[in-house]
Amino acid sequence: MSAVVLAELAYWQVSILRVLGLLAAVLLPSGTIVYLFLFKMMSFMQSRLGPMEAGPYGSMQLLAEVGKFLQKEDLFPDGADRKVFAWAPIVVVASTFIMYTVVPFGPDAWFANIPTGIYFALAVSSVSVIGILMAGWASANKYSLMGGLRSAGQLIAYELPLVLAVLGVVIQAGTMDMQGIVAAQRNGEIFGIGFIGNPYIITQFVGFAVFMIAMQAELTQPPFDMPVAESELVAGYLTEYSGFRFLLFFIGEYATAGAFSAIAAVLFLGGWSLPGIGFDADIMNVLGPIVMLTKMMLIVFLVMWFRFTYPRLREDQLQIFAWKYLIPISLVNIAVTAVLKVAF
Amino acid sequence: MTAISERQQRAYIASQAADMRVNVELETEGMTLNIGPQHPATHGTLRIIVKLDGELVVAADPVPGYMHRGYEKLTEVRTYPQVNTLINRIDWLGSFANEVPFILAAEQLMDVEAPPRAQWIRTLLFELSRIANVTLFLGDMAVQLGAVTPVFYAFRDREYVLNLIESATGGRFHPNFDRIGGIKDDLPKGWIAETKQVMVKVNAFCDELEALLLGNEIFNVRTRGIGVIPPEVALSYGMSGANLRASGVDWDHRRDTPVGLVYDKLDWKVWTHPDGDSFARYWVRLQEVREAAKMVIQLCDGLPPGPIMAKVPRIIKVPEGEAWVATENPLGEMGYYVVSKGELVPFRVKIRSASFNNISIVPWLLRGVYVPDVITILASLYFILGDIDR
Amino acid sequence: MIRLSSTDIDNAEGAPATDELRSSLVEGLVAELHDGVVASHLVPGRDVWVRVTADAWESAGRVCRDLLGCTYFCYLSVIDWLPSPFGRSMDSSVDNVLEGVAAKDPEPMTHGVAGGESRFQLIARLYDVNRHVGVNLKVDVPDDTLTMTTWTKLFGGANWHEREAYEMFGITFAGHPSLRKLYLPGDFEGYPLRKDFPLLARMVKPWPGIVDVEAMPGVADDEGGE
C-alpha cells in the first residue's frame, strides 16, 4: 500500500483495499495463533497430538471449526435482552479491528497513521469491556453476569499498568506515534553500540515485563482467566453464546491477542524494521509484515506458555496483584526512565 | 452491677436503630447460585445451592441424589457374587477397591480365608486402583484451579495403570475380579515386570506434578489456608482417608487394622499434614500415590506361590450373622455392614462410602469463602459422585 | 509407623479369646448408662455390639464420644428386621427349583446380634482413631412413634445420615435441624429401603437367578451344589 500507489487510486478503491488489508491483518495472525499455539503447541505441551485428521497435521482443522460454528443455531436465551445480546460480540470484534488500524507493518504499510497512535490503540482496546459487560448482562444468566462483572473489574484494573508500562517507552522514544517509536528503536543505540538499534526490551525490560503481565490479564488468559473460568463460571460471559456469535467472540479473543502482541512488538521489539536494511527501503513494505508476524508470534508464544502452565488466581488476589505490585512497579519505572532520559 | 439509666437505654436503642438503617441501606439482595447438577466443577451430578453476597458464599447446601441408584435395596435381591458386580460402580475410578471390603465381610461371616497368594494379589490390585484413582485427582485438582496441562499428564499416566488392571482382570474400570475365598484368576505372564516399569512412570509423574504445581506460587496462594478443617471437626463429620490425614489425624486402616490384606508385611509410611487446608489434602494424596507405587513394587517382589482360591461351595450361602469390614479406599474409609440370614442374598447391606461423609462437611466448610474457593475446596475434598449417591 | 512383621499369616483364629480393649468399652458404657445398656455382643479381636434403650441413645453417643474416645463418626443407619412380605418372590422360580422347595411363607421376625425387640433398629458405628477400636451401637426404634433423638448435636456427620434414614426408612429424628429428603425428590412417597417397599423392577421381570453362576477356579464345573 505504498503512498505512490494510494495516490493514484480513488477514495473508494483505497477504502476497499484498506478493509481487505485489515481483514487479512486481523484474521491471518489470529488463525495462525489458534492453529499454531492453541492446537499444536498446547497439544505438544500436554503430550498429545491435537487435531490430526483435517488436512496434513490437522492444518485444516480451523476451517472445520469455523464451519461447525456457522452451522449451529443462533440461540437466544429466554430472558435475554435480545438486542444487547446480539450486539455484544460485534462490539468486541470491532474494538479489535480498530486496534489494528494504527499498527504499522512497514514504512508505508499502515492503515491509519495517527500521531498519537499508541494512545489511540490503548483507548480503543478498552471498548471491548463494554461488549463483555453487554454480553454478561444480556445473557440473563448468573454465571454470565458474574463473568461480565469480573471481566470489567479485571480489565479496568489492568488497563492502568498497561498504560503506565507504555509510558516508559513513550518517554524514551519521545513520541506517541507508533511509526516514530519504530524509528526511534531503529536509529537508537545503547552506549554507542547501534548495529541492532535499540529495541526497548533491553532498556525498558521492567516495562516489558509489566506490559506482558497486564496484557495477559487484558486478554483474560490464564492465570488471569477468571471471567471465563470454566471450572467456576462454566464459561463466564460466553456461557449462553453459540454458533456464529460465539465464533465472533472466539475470533475477538485471539485477534486481540494478535493486536496486543503487535503493539508489544512495535513498542519493545523494534516493530517491522530490520537492521541492515534502510528504514525507508521499499522492500520493507513486503518484509515488514513478515518480520512483524514473526515478532508477534514470539510474544504470543510467551502468552500461551504462561497460559498452559499456570493455575488461575482468585479475583481478589488478581486485584491485589495489580494495585499493590504492578502499578507501583510501573510508576517507579516511569520515574527512573524520566530521570535517565534527562540525565543522558 | 450498675443499673442502666433510661438515657443510656435510649442512646442504645437509637444507636441500634441507626445501625439498622445503615445496614438496610448497604445491604444488597443476595444471589442464589445453583452450581450443578450440570457444572464443570462437580464432575458428576452434584448440585450445590449457594447463597452469595457478591462473590462471598453465605450458605451452601449440597443436593446429592441425581445419581442415586439404590444399591442398598438392590443388594437385597442379589446373591453375594452378584452384589460384587454392583458395588464395582460405587467409586468408579478405583473399582477394585470397592469389592474388597464386601468380599472380606462375606468371608468373615463364612469363616473363610483367602490363600496368601490371593491376599497379595488383592492388595496389589487394591493399590493399583488407588493409583489409578488418585492420579486423576492430582490432575483434576489442577484443572479445577485453572491449570489445564496436569490433567492430561494424569490421564496419560493413569492409562498405563488401567492397562495393567485390564491385562490382569479383563476390565479397565469395573474388574469384578474379587471372589469370596480368593480371586478369579492368577496374574498373566510378564505382568510383574511390566508393573514395575509402570511404577517408575508413576513416580516420574509424581515428581513432575510436584515440580509443576506444588512449587507454583499461584497454586500455593489458591490452596494454602483455603478450606481448613480442624481434626475434631473432621472426626465428628466422619471424614476419612487423605482428608482426615491432611488434618493431622494419623489413622490409616491399612496400617492399623489390615483385615485380610497384607499391608503389615510391607515397608511403607502413612503421611499426615498438620495444616488441614486444601494444599495439605493435595500434598497428602501426592505422597500416597508414591507410597502406593512403593508398595506395588514390594508386592510384586514378595508375591508368594500357591493357590488363589480357598475351598468354597459353588453356590454361596453366607451363614447367619453380622459383620462390618472397612478398608482404606482411595477416597477414604469404605465399609460394608452385612447382615446375613443364612440365605443366598444378604438381608441388609449398609454401604458406608467415604465421599458421603467427606461431602457432608460442605455446608460447614463453605461459609465465608469466595466462589473460586468453593471449587478449590470441592476439588480438594475429592469426591466421586457414585460414592456419594451409591 | 513402619511395620515389618514376620512372614507367617495372622488371622482371626489366632486372635485372643478375650478382648480387653473392647470389653472395656462395654464396661464403660454400662458404668455410665446403667440400665440403658440392654445387651452386648463381643467377638474377640473383631468387633463389639452394644444395644441401648431408646432413651439412652443420645447419652450413649455422648459417652462414647467424650469418655471412651470414640470421636470418629463412621455411619448411622437403620435395619428393617421385617422379613420381606414378598416372600421368595425376590428370587426367581429357577432358584426355587434348585432349592427343591416352593415359595416359603414369610418367616417370623428375627433379630441379629445383640438382639432386638422392634421392627426398626438404628445402628451406628463410632471409632477411636487412636486405639483403633470401634463400637457398633444399636437401638430399638419405638414401633409406635418411629422417633429417635438426633445425634446432630454430637456429631456433625450425623446430619446427612439421619436425613437418609428419614427418607429411606421413615424414622423421624427429634431435634434434627433440617429433616428433609436427601436423595429423593421432595414429593416422593414411601420409604424405599423398608422391606415392605416392593422393588418394582424385580416384580415386573423376575431375575434370571443364580443358574448362570460361573465356575470358581480350582473347582470343577460338575462339583457344584453344596
Side-chain angles (χ1 to χ4, degrees):
Chain A
M1 253 181 277
S2 165
V4 186
V5 182
L6 285 186
E8 290 160 5
L9 292 175
Y11 183 76
W12 63 271
Q13 287 167 319
V14 177
S15 300
I16 286 177
L17 267 180
R18 281 198 168 132
V19 167
L20 286 178
L22 199 56
L23 270 176
V26 172
L27 295 180
L28 271 181
S30 52
T32 320
I33 290 166
V34 171
Y35 175 71
L36 203 62
F37 297 115
L38 198 66
F39 289 168
K40 281 304 173 186
M41 187 181 91
M42 186 181 184
S43 309
F44 175 72
M45 285 185 171
Q46 295 170 347
S47 65
R48 56 194 177 90
L49 288 173
M52 290 297 283
E53 298 298 323
Y57 295 97
S59 49
M60 295 295 119
Q61 184 65 28
L62 204 58
L63 295 179
E65 297 280 338
V66 171
K68 178 188 80 181
F69 280 123
L70 289 179
Q71 286 170 35
K72 283 191 176 175
E73 189 189 350
D74 190 12
L75 282 173
F76 285 89
D78 250 0
D81 192 338
R82 293 181 70 97
K83 265 186 195 156
V84 182
F85 187 82
W87 276 95
I90 296 168
V91 171
V92 171
V93 171
S95 99
T96 310
F97 269 73
I98 300 173
M99 259 171 91
Y100 266 104
T101 52
V102 290
V103 178
F105 288 91
D108 302 309
W110 38 260
F111 302 107
N113 200 1
I114 304 175
T116 53
I118 183 64
Y119 177 74
F120 177 83
L122 292 177
V124 166
S125 78
S126 39
V127 172
S128 68
V129 182
I130 297 170
I132 288 168
L133 262 180
M134 283 163 71
W137 173 253
S139 296
N141 179 319
K142 287 171 182 171
Y143 290 114
S144 298
L145 182 62
M146 283 174 76
L149 290 179
R150 280 181 179 193
S151 185
Q154 173 177 336
L155 297 191
I156 289 166
Y158 279 84
E159 199 84 351
L160 222 62
L162 194 77
V163 172
L164 293 178
V166 169
L167 265 185
V169 172
V170 171
I171 291 170
Q172 200 174 355
T175 172
M176 278 185 154
D177 183 2
M178 294 189 68
Q179 202 69 283
I181 292 171
V182 174
Q185 293 180 70
R186 171 73 174 72
N187 304 324
E189 47 189 35
I190 315 162
F191 303 122
I193 304 159
F195 62 93
I196 54 159
N198 178 16
Y200 288 151
I201 185 172
I202 298 169
T203 48
Q204 285 291 326
F205 187 76
V206 177
F208 177 69
V210 172
F211 187 88
M212 285 301 291
I213 294 169
M215 170 179 154
Q216 192 94 6
E218 288 283 306
L219 296 173
T220 65
Q221 300 283 5
F224 306 107
D225 67 331
M226 299 81 174
V228 287
E230 62 123 43
S231 58
E232 294 158 24
L233 299 183
V234 188
Y237 56 87
L238 300 172
T239 307
E240 297 287 355
Y241 280 91
S242 73
F244 178 64
R245 288 179 210 286
F246 181 82
L247 182 66
L248 280 183
F249 270 119
F250 193 77
I251 292 174
E253 183 181 348
Y254 290 96
T256 317
F260 270 108
S261 58
I263 291 172
V266 167
L267 292 182
F268 296 102
L269 298 184
W272 49 264
S273 71
L274 270 181
I277 302 178
F279 186 74
D280 279 333
D282 274 346
I283 186 78
M284 283 316 290
N285 284 329
V286 181
L287 281 181
I290 299 171
V291 172
M292 269 297 279
L293 194 69
T294 317
K295 288 177 177 174
M296 278 162 71
M297 289 306 135
L298 273 176
I299 304 255
V300 179
F301 171 73
L302 285 178
V303 171
M304 292 290 167
W305 193 3
F306 287 126
R307 174 191 165 134
F308 303 142
T309 311
Y310 277 98
R312 172 187 312 128
L313 277 166
R314 210 169 59 201
E315 193 64 18
D316 55 331
Q317 292 163 345
L318 164 112
Q319 298 285 352
I320 288 170
F321 187 58
W323 294 100
K324 286 195 182 164
Y325 298 98
L326 281 187
I327 292 175
I329 288 173
S330 43
L331 284 174
V332 169
N333 181 45
I334 291 172
V336 171
T337 310
V339 169
L340 290 179
K341 172 88 177 171
V342 176
F344 289 98
Chain B
M1 195 172 150
T2 49
I4 300 163
S5 71
E6 200 187 332
R7 188 163 153 265
Q8 276 171 320
Q9 268 184 25
R10 275 209 308 272
Y12 177 74
I13 292 168
S15 70
Q16 288 292 304
D19 269 2
M20 266 169 65
R21 268 200 306 280
V22 171
N23 285 344
V24 166
E25 276 164 24
L26 287 182
E27 187 155 315
T28 49
E29 200 181 329
M31 181 166 86
T32 307
L33 188 67
N34 204 355
I35 300 181
Q38 303 290 338
H39 187 273
T42 55
H43 42 94
T45 48
L46 181 70
R47 175 179 169 207
I48 299 176
I49 304 168
V50 286
K51 290 210 169 51
L52 297 179
D53 178 15
E55 286 223 12
L56 202 70
V57 177
V58 179
D61 184 22
V63 184
Y66 288 87
M67 204 179 268
H68 190 63
R69 295 155 291 179
Y71 279 176
E72 289 183 14
K73 187 80 178 171
L74 292 175
T75 51
E76 291 171 11
V77 295
R78 274 163 172 73
T79 64
Y80 283 85
Q82 286 168 346
V83 170
N84 203 23
T85 320
L86 206 61
I87 56 177
N88 255 294
R89 273 85 181 158
I90 292 176
D91 159 18
W92 50 66
L93 292 181
S95 297
F96 184 79
N98 296 328
E99 305 174 17
V100 174
F102 179 76
I103 294 291
L104 287 175
E107 282 180 359
Q108 201 178 81
L109 285 171
M110 292 174 73
D111 223 1
V112 173
E113 198 181 8
R117 186 172 172 85
Q119 291 189 7
W120 281 73
I121 295 177
R122 264 183 200 169
T123 317
L124 189 50
L125 288 171
F126 198 97
E127 287 309 308
L128 279 182
S129 45
R130 180 187 313 280
I131 296 172
N133 187 326
V134 181
T135 41
L136 198 59
F137 159 79
L138 296 175
D140 178 70
M141 170 118 178
V143 91
Q144 304 289 350
L145 290 175
V148 278
T149 304
V151 78
F152 288 99
Y153 294 163
F155 273 116
R156 179 193 68 195
D157 290 334
R158 187 184 69 140
E159 207 63 15
Y160 299 125
V161 181
L162 286 183
N163 287 342
L164 284 180
I165 294 176
E166 188 188 10
S167 60
T169 66
R172 290 163 66 77
F173 271 83
H174 304 301
N176 193 18
F177 194 62
D178 214 352
R179 295 287 182 272
I180 293 173
I183 48 164
K184 182 169 173 288
D185 272 321
D186 211 333
L187 296 174
K189 201 180 162 194
W191 193 83
I192 300 284
E194 202 188 326
T195 306
K196 285 186 187 165
Q197 283 169 15
V198 169
M199 287 310 115
V200 175
K201 286 178 187 159
V202 169
N203 275 325
F205 166 75
C206 290
D207 296 343
E208 198 169 30
L209 274 199
E210 193 155 29
L212 190 59
L213 276 180
L214 285 188
N216 187 307
E217 296 81 3
I218 297 179
F219 184 81
N220 272 277
V221 294
R222 280 299 304 278
T223 55
R224 281 203 193 262
I226 302 297
V228 179
I229 306 173
E232 324 76 76
V233 176
L235 285 170
S236 119
Y237 274 92
M239 295 184 68
S240 51
N243 290 336
L244 188 60
R245 287 191 284 278
S247 292
V249 179
D250 186 14
W251 171 49
D252 193 318
H253 267 305
R254 292 175 290 173
R255 182 195 60 199
D256 303 325
T257 45
V259 187
L261 299 170
V262 294
Y263 288 109
D264 48 353
K265 298 182 183 61
L266 307 174
D267 176 17
W268 61 289
K269 272 181 105 169
V270 175
W271 291 91
T272 59
H273 199 288
D275 288 358
D277 56 7
S278 303
F279 183 86
R281 293 191 274 276
Y282 190 89
W283 185 88
V284 167
R285 287 210 176 84
L286 184 70
Q287 304 308 326
E288 272 184 11
V289 173
R290 284 189 171 142
E291 290 299 324
K294 206 163 99 185
M295 274 190 261
V296 166
I297 291 171
Q298 291 176 44
L299 285 160
C300 285
D301 287 335
L303 205 61
I308 52 161
M309 201 63 198
K311 193 83 174 158
V312 283
R314 180 167 167 200
I315 291 173
I316 287 165
K317 276 195 173 186
V318 174
E320 196 163 341
E322 294 174 30
W324 159 263
V325 173
T327 51
E328 191 71 30
N329 275 37
L331 295 163
E333 182 195 27
M334 174 158 208
Y336 294 86
Y337 191 82
V338 182
V339 181
S340 174
K341 289 225 165 165
E343 289 184 18
L344 290 166
V345 297
F347 183 74
R348 164 117 173 83
V349 177
K350 163 68 190 170
I351 305 168
R352 192 270 185 212
S353 54
S355 295
F356 183 76
N357 278 37
N358 288 351
I359 282 303
S360 70
I361 200 173
V362 160
W364 183 88
L365 200 54
L366 294 187
R367 277 179 305 188
V369 299
Y370 293 104
V371 172
D373 295 339
V374 173
I375 311 301
T376 313
I377 291 168
L378 283 181
S380 74
L381 286 175
Y382 190 36
F383 56 90
I384 304 279
L385 243 294
D387 207 39
I388 302 174
D389 285 358
R390 302 191 300 274
Chain C
M1 277 210 214
I2 303 157
R3 284 189 190 177
L4 264 173
S5 73
S6 58
T7 48
D8 50 1
I9 298 139
D10 51 345
N11 51 33
E13 284 146 34
T18 55
D19 193 331
E20 285 174 19
L21 199 56
R22 288 191 172 85
S23 47
S24 76
L25 285 179
V26 180
E27 282 156 20
L29 273 167
V30 171
E32 288 296 322
L33 301 173
H34 311 293
D35 294 343
V37 177
V38 182
S40 69
H41 177 80
L42 193 146
V43 182
R46 226 169 232 177
D47 222 338
V48 61
W49 286 262
V50 177
R51 186 156 69 92
V52 297
T53 57
D55 295 335
W57 177 241
E58 198 184 353
S59 42
R62 182 166 285 124
V63 169
C64 283
R65 186 189 69 169
D66 297 340
L67 301 176
L68 304 177
C70 294
T71 47
Y72 173 74
F73 173 80
C74 187
Y75 71 91
L76 181 147
S77 190
V78 182
I79 303 173
D80 180 3
W81 288 109
L82 184 82
S84 173
F86 306 105
R88 302 278 302 185
S89 78
M90 293 296 187
D91 305 328
S92 71
S93 53
V94 185
D95 298 341
N96 292 333
V97 169
L98 208 78
E99 293 280 311
V101 288
K104 287 183 204 157
D105 291 328
E107 306 137 41
M109 190 157 69
T110 53
H111 289 90
V113 294
E117 277 142 27
S118 62
R119 178 181 164 192
F120 293 103
Q121 224 173 23
L122 224 60
I123 177 161
R125 186 178 166 83
L126 301 175
Y127 196 82
D128 183 343
V129 291
N130 296 315
R131 293 187 291 167
H132 312 304
V133 64
V135 56
N136 298 301
L137 288 172
K138 278 187 174 184
V139 63
D140 294 335
V141 182
D143 278 332
D144 46 347
T145 58
L146 289 183
T147 301
M148 287 302 299
T149 37
T150 179
W151 264 16
T152 44
K153 296 184 196 80
L154 300 172
F155 299 100
N159 189 326
W160 278 26
H161 288 266
E162 286 179 357
R163 277 172 70 185
E164 195 189 2
Y166 164 72
E167 68 172 351
M168 293 294 172
F169 291 94
I171 313 283
T172 315
F173 290 90
H176 190 284
S178 60
L179 204 59
R180 294 169 287 142
K181 286 198 162 72
L182 181 69
Y183 290 134
L184 301 170
D187 53 357
F188 190 90
E189 285 178 20
Y191 303 104
L193 275 183
R194 284 187 180 181
K195 287 283 180 184
D196 52 8
F197 189 92
L199 185 61
L200 281 177
R202 189 49 59 85
M203 298 287 206
V204 174
K205 189 167 180 281
W207 189 246
I210 57 158
V211 285
D212 57 347
V213 68
E214 63 179 271
M216 290 290 175
V219 182
D221 262 1
D222 53 357
E223 212 184 297
E226 283 162 62

